[in-house]
Structures are given as C-alpha cells and as structure tokens.
Amino acid sequence: MRKDWEVSIKWNVKLFYLINQKRFKFLDNFYKYFFYMGKTYSLPLYFLLFYIFTDTTAFKHLIVSLIITGILMPTLKYIFRHKRPSSLLENVYLLEPVSLKSFPSADSGYVATIFGVSLFYGSLPLSVILFILMILVGYGRVYMGAHFPLDVITGYTIGILSAVAGFYLISHF
C-alpha cells in the first residue's frame, strides 16, 4: 500500500472498505448501469427534468452552475493528482474501468450541482428525485471502487457551492 494523504485519514479508508467490501449481487448489477447517471453525458436527462418541473430561470441557473462545476472539477483533479483507491489499497472491488485522478469525485459534484439548483425553485418532487439520485451516485462511486468517501463528500460540497455561486451570478448579472 502506497502512502498517500487520503489513505492516512483512517475514517476515510475504513468507510471505503465498509462500503466497497460488502458485496451484493443486486447492487453489482444495478451499478453496472446506474453509474452513468453521474456522467456528463447524462445531462440531457437532467435538462429534461428541469424543463418539465421548472422554468427558464432555473434552466439558466443550472447551466451556469454546471459550467462552474465543470471548471472546478478538472482543475482540482489536476492540482491534487490523487490516485484512485485501487492504486493505493489492496483488495479493492473495482466494477468499472477508471482513469484520470480521483479527488474530488466529478460525478458526485455534477449531481450535487443539479440537486443544489433544484432547491432554489421549490419543486419538491424534482428535489426529492435529485436527492435520491445524488445519494445513489455518491454511494455507487465508493461501492464500485472508483472513489474514497472523502472524494464524494468533497464533490458534493463543490456541487452545492457551485449551485449557490450560479444563483448569485444569475441574480446579479
């Protein structure tokens, strides 16, 4: 096991193994397909949800916030250059091919951005759907062996902050 700052955080490694080592046939099959929900090419589905449940202001807010997240995520990955759990730990169940860097989780950041934007527009059904998707995507990133829990938590934080920053930008410009 290679020493790394994220591996030195004991709760992060323990929680990773607690989620990643407990295998369920249903979840293995579910996440084989569901993990696409956090990828940027699933954005048209989220745009459709916003079109159905919100108005044009919400849609603009979503676009601006996703641009912020889209700038922050690769920038932070480049700055930190943190390796994936499978490169740092032994006995990792890896359910998808991974590349690039791990910290923070961009998938978690994108779905958190989308959820965060939904909170500004009072559509309870949309916010509940997106919250469930956000939790499932974040859990799945660890379950599939692609990220540490800290990667997901940081992705969520950046996503929510991007939604707040997007709201500020569309309100003031």
Side-chain angles (χ1 to χ4, degrees):
M1 183 163 63
R2 186 179 154 250
K3 278 293 179 199
D4 189 278
W5 68 271
E6 212 165 2
V7 175
S8 67
I9 302 170
K10 296 206 184 315
W11 69 264
N12 195 35
V13 175
K14 285 182 181 182
L15 186 56
F16 173 83
Y17 275 129
L18 179 70
I19 295 169
N20 182 256
Q21 297 294 301
K22 189 109 170 140
R23 306 315 301 169
F24 299 98
K25 184 81 169 152
F26 170 77
L27 288 180
D28 288 351
N29 290 326
F30 175 75
Y31 279 117
K32 196 181 299 184
Y33 302 102
F34 185 80
F35 84 95
Y36 291 109
M37 294 303 292
K39 304 297 181 195
T40 54
Y41 43 78
S42 66
L43 288 177
L45 172 65
Y46 296 116
F47 291 153
L48 179 62
L49 285 172
F50 267 74
Y51 178 76
I52 293 168
F53 287 103
T54 65
D55 59 17
T56 56
T57 304
F59 196 78
K60 288 179 198 172
H61 181 181
L62 179 63
I63 299 295
V64 169
S65 298
L66 286 171
I67 289 170
I68 295 168
T69 302
I71 292 168
L72 288 174
M73 287 299 168
T75 302
L76 291 171
K77 283 181 182 285
Y78 179 79
I79 290 169
F80 286 100
R81 298 177 187 222
H82 181 69
K83 293 189 180 289
R84 301 282 182 165
S86 59
S87 299
L88 299 169
L89 302 174
E90 298 172 0
N91 303 319
V92 172
Y93 288 101
L94 192 58
L95 296 180
E96 70 168 308
V98 290
S99 60
L100 304 173
K101 302 301 177 195
S102 180
F103 181 85
S105 168
D107 294 13
S108 300
Y110 283 117
V111 294
T113 301
I114 296 163
F115 166 69
V117 170
S118 77
L119 294 175
F120 285 90
Y121 299 96
S123 174
L124 185 61
L126 178 62
S127 294
V128 168
I129 290 167
L130 293 173
F131 179 76
I132 292 168
L133 285 170
M134 181 182 81
I135 297 302
L136 287 173
V137 167
Y139 181 85
R141 302 314 295 149
V142 179
Y143 183 82
M144 295 180 71
H147 286 285
F148 285 103
L150 187 58
D151 300 342
V152 171
I153 293 166
T154 304
Y156 284 165
T157 303
I158 291 167
I160 297 295
L161 291 175
S162 293
V164 171
F167 182 76
Y168 175 80
L169 288 173
I170 65 161
S171 299
H172 291 85
F173 296 103

